[in-house]
Amino acid sequence: MNKQDILSLVKSRNPNESEFVQAAEEVIVSVWPALERNPEFTRLRLLERMLEPERMISFRVTWLDDKGSVQVNRGYRVQMNSAIGPYKGGLRFHPSVTPSVLKFLAFEQIFKNALTGIPMGGGKGGSDFDPKGKSNDEIMKFCQAFMGELARHINHRLDVPAGDIGVGSREIGYLFGAYKKIKNEFTGVLTGKGIGWGGSLIRAEATGYGLIYFAENMLQEKKDSIKEKTCLVSGSGNVAQYAIEKIIQLGGKVITASDSTGFIYDEEGITQDKLEFLKDLKNNRRGRIKEYADKYKCEYHASLEGANDNPIWNIKADAAFPCATQNEINARDAAHLVKNNVKIVCEGANMPTTIDAINILIDNGVMYSPGKASNAGGVATSGLEMTQNYIGENWTSKEVDTRLYSIMKDIHQTCLATAKEYGQPGNYLVGANIAGFIKVAKAMQAQGVI
Ligand code: NDP
Ligand code: 2IT
């Protein structure tokens, strides 16, 4: 089979799954040189095997809302690949969740987890449940109903979920409590737990901090740094908040943040005080980002229904960090970034850039890194949380942060070295995909046809 045959097979096997096909195409095209160098990988059909979930669970979640009405949602867990360790990956609660979205996320997670150097396989799960506008009690009842089924399919040595969009520390608490009650055991079956009951310091910060550590490493390659750079950040959730915090700490200036209703443009820059307001707004009061613009008297732009570009990416800056969701940078947005001389686009979200947009960035010399490399700090620190749970220790913030920094540095080096080895120096997409793929492929090869 050539790469077109594999892509056609993926399309015909997964009809109407555009997100999964997109993630698959990106990987198939970029790892192809590795298959050409290793005919055994092709004979064993390793890439085709990786494209098929080992197991996919779909279940009904029924719960009672505050009015006493019955609500029905769909829950899922995609157990994608366990060649190098237990399934590991987040849970997403958002109305846009479909099998296609979770399969793309689980597929990317295989390679991301391999890059961390920690033994973790790939998985992802979630529900089409919309947490927006729900009371705390409703969130708890939903989490309990969801875990009522998921608990049968996970444990700390088999599959360890964590947070993602719509699942933060509050939801992990309710999910963990439900699991413990059902199974009558206290184990590290979820990561992102609270400090004091098995959680790791720095896990909340890890994805955003790790992203900026990665960007700093990329910039160092050009004898440059984040200091004094003007930065665009999208999103205002977990990843965006801590990306902004680390940029501030390193002397950069962040001028945007967004949510699903619009974005703010704060020309003066988001300071630590303003960030604390944003954290409280999003994590506790669960309000809209417009409140930031009202308080600090800066520009606010509401999202335009049906718009074919995203105006946040047309603001003049040196660096861009998409930290909201998939496909938030399309070809037109990429053209705007190029026109404005943006030097670096580093993905905090998973697959925020379309394939056309990635090509435009790379062809125009913008430094670009795929989420599976630059956002791996979150899952890597989840791996550190699992290790602490297994050995019964709690490491200090400094210890975890030092490990996180060194993991991001190693991933950066691995990407660069692999890209060079395959004749595409500086191409982080090729480096990340091939390095992750080879690690998993070798494990599958050693474990036989299963
Ligand atoms: P959160 O739920 O904390 O925040 C998500 C943010 O993105 C919110 O500001 C949300 O706005 C916005 N958003 C979500 N969906 C959309 C949409 N369809 N259109 C526009 N804006 C949207 O999630 P995280 O910060 O955890 O996740 C953000 C991204 O990072 C995701 O791609 C996730 O997969 C990825 N990621 C997360 C990791 C983690 O450890 N949490 C690790 C690695 C990657 P609103 O408030 O209006 O919903
Ligand atoms: O996309 C991701 O890497 C995450 N949502 C974090 C997964 C994890 O298990 O910590």
Side-chain angles (χ1 to χ4, degrees):
M1 274 209 223
N2 62 32
K3 59 185 163 192
Q4 275 315 323
D5 295 334
I6 297 197
L7 189 56
S8 302
L9 183 73
V10 172
K11 284 182 180 161
S12 67
R13 269 198 182 149
N14 304 282
N16 309 316
E17 295 197 353
S18 62
E19 295 87 358
F20 179 58
V21 169
Q22 180 184 337
E25 179 174 356
E26 182 212 287
V27 169
I28 293 168
V29 171
S30 55
V31 304
W32 203 255
L35 287 162
E36 285 175 339
R37 281 197 198 175
N38 297 279
E40 261 312 88
F41 289 174
T42 305
R43 189 184 71 76
L44 292 168
R45 304 181 80 166
L46 294 177
L47 183 54
E48 287 146 88
R49 284 201 249 164
M50 284 181 211
L51 284 157
E52 208 47 51
E54 288 178 11
R55 189 175 303 105
M56 195 162 159
I57 301 141
S58 167
F59 51 97
R60 187 182 71 199
V61 187
T62 316
W63 56 283
L64 280 177
D65 68 17
D66 286 348
K67 296 195 188 90
S69 304
V70 177
Q71 298 287 338
V72 183
N73 285 101
R74 278 196 183 159
Y76 306 93
R77 186 74 181 162
V78 183
Q79 296 180 333
M80 200 76 191
N81 192 295
S82 61
I84 64 167
Y87 307 108
K88 182 81 196 89
L91 295 171
R92 179 176 289 193
F93 292 170
H94 194 272
S96 63
V97 163
T98 59
S100 170
V101 167
L102 295 180
K103 278 164 66 182
F104 113 64
L105 289 162
F107 182 64
E108 298 239 300
Q109 202 83 42
I110 303 174
F111 308 103
K112 182 194 307 194
N113 294 2
L115 287 170
T116 66
I118 298 172
M120 300 181 289
K124 202 85 186 190
S127 173
D128 59 1
F129 171 74
D130 186 358
K132 276 205 194 72
K134 302 291 189 298
S135 71
N136 212 35
D137 283 354
E138 288 175 325
I139 298 286
M140 182 174 74
K141 284 186 280 183
F142 176 79
C143 288
Q144 291 172 343
F146 181 86
M147 189 52 87
E149 175 62 33
L150 187 67
R152 301 172 209 275
H153 309 288
I154 61 174
N155 74 56
H156 69 137
R157 299 276 182 195
L158 169 70
D159 184 354
V160 182
D164 193 80
I165 292 177
V167 178
S169 56
R170 172 182 61 167
E171 291 74 20
I172 294 292
Y174 296 145
L175 290 163
F176 183 80
Y179 181 88
K180 184 161 63 74
K181 176 131 179 126
I182 295 164
K183 292 283 189 85
N184 197 26
E185 64 180 35
F186 194 113
T187 56
V189 67
L190 293 155
T191 58
K193 297 183 293 298
I195 311 307
W197 46 278
S200 175
L201 289 162
I202 306 294
R203 174 62 189 90
E205 292 86 346
T207 313
Y209 280 16
L211 172 69
I212 305 307
Y213 293 154
F214 196 91
E216 191 71 348
N217 274 278
M218 288 172 78
L219 287 162
Q220 273 166 16
E221 286 299 307
K222 306 265 173 191
K223 310 267 176 285
D224 204 347
S225 80
I226 209 91
K227 198 165 190 275
E228 286 166 14
K229 292 272 177 307
T230 302
C231 304
L232 306 175
V233 172
S234 66
S236 50
N238 174 266
V239 180
Q241 290 169 16
Y242 290 103
I244 295 171
E245 185 160 288
K246 189 51 74 179
I247 293 171
I248 297 172
Q249 287 172 10
L250 296 181
K253 178 172 159 187
V254 180
I255 56 172
T256 62
S258 68
D259 66 15
S260 52
T261 47
F263 73 91
I264 57 114
Y265 171 27
D266 185 348
E267 226 182 327
E268 305 288 302
I270 303 177
T271 57
Q272 188 66 37
D273 280 353
K274 294 177 184 176
L275 178 61
E276 293 308 324
F277 173 84
L278 187 64
K279 285 183 189 169
D280 181 54
L281 173 69
K282 285 292 169 186
N283 306 348
N284 304 324
R285 295 191 287 118
R286 298 179 195 275
R288 306 282 79 209
I289 199 152
K290 184 169 182 304
E291 273 191 51
Y292 178 104
D294 294 341
K295 182 166 169 71
Y296 295 111
K297 309 271 175 285
C298 70
E299 280 183 35
Y300 172 73
H301 299 261
S303 303
L304 298 172
E305 202 60 46
N308 54 11
D309 55 5
N310 186 348
I312 199 170
W313 307 122
N314 201 2
I315 294 176
K316 187 119 189 61
D318 305 308
F321 298 97
C323 297
T325 192
Q326 62 271 9
N327 293 331
E328 49 171 320
I329 299 181
N330 64 22
R332 287 172 71 124
D333 302 318
H336 289 147
L337 292 165
V338 169
K339 179 195 74 190
N340 288 335
N341 274 324
V342 164
K343 291 186 178 56
I344 175 170
V345 175
C346 210
E347 295 184 344
N350 287 308
M351 205 172 74
T353 317
T354 64
I355 294 179
D356 288 355
I358 295 172
N359 291 334
I360 290 172
L361 296 174
I362 292 178
D363 291 349
N364 285 281
V366 178
M367 297 180 93
Y368 161 80
S369 95
K372 58 171 79 72
S374 44
N375 75 29
V379 74
T381 307
S382 280
L384 301 178
E385 182 171 328
M386 289 164 73
T387 305
Q388 291 170 78
N389 292 167
Y390 290 143
I391 63 176
E393 281 189 11
N394 294 313
W395 297 338
T396 62
S397 292
K398 189 162 183 288
E399 162 113 50
V400 180
D401 197 27
T402 304
R403 286 178 188 255
L404 169 64
Y405 186 84
S406 105
I407 290 169
M408 298 316 293
K409 197 177 165 66
D410 287 351
I411 297 174
H412 177 265
Q413 271 320 108
T414 302
C415 290
L416 272 192
T418 310
K420 194 166 171 210
E421 188 189 333
Y422 280 83
Q424 301 207 46
N427 188 326
Y428 289 85
L429 181 74
V430 165
N433 284 340
I434 293 185
F437 171 78
I438 289 179
K439 177 158 184 196
V440 178
K442 284 186 174 163
M444 290 174 74
Q445 184 180 17
Q447 291 169 28
V449 180
I450 49 165

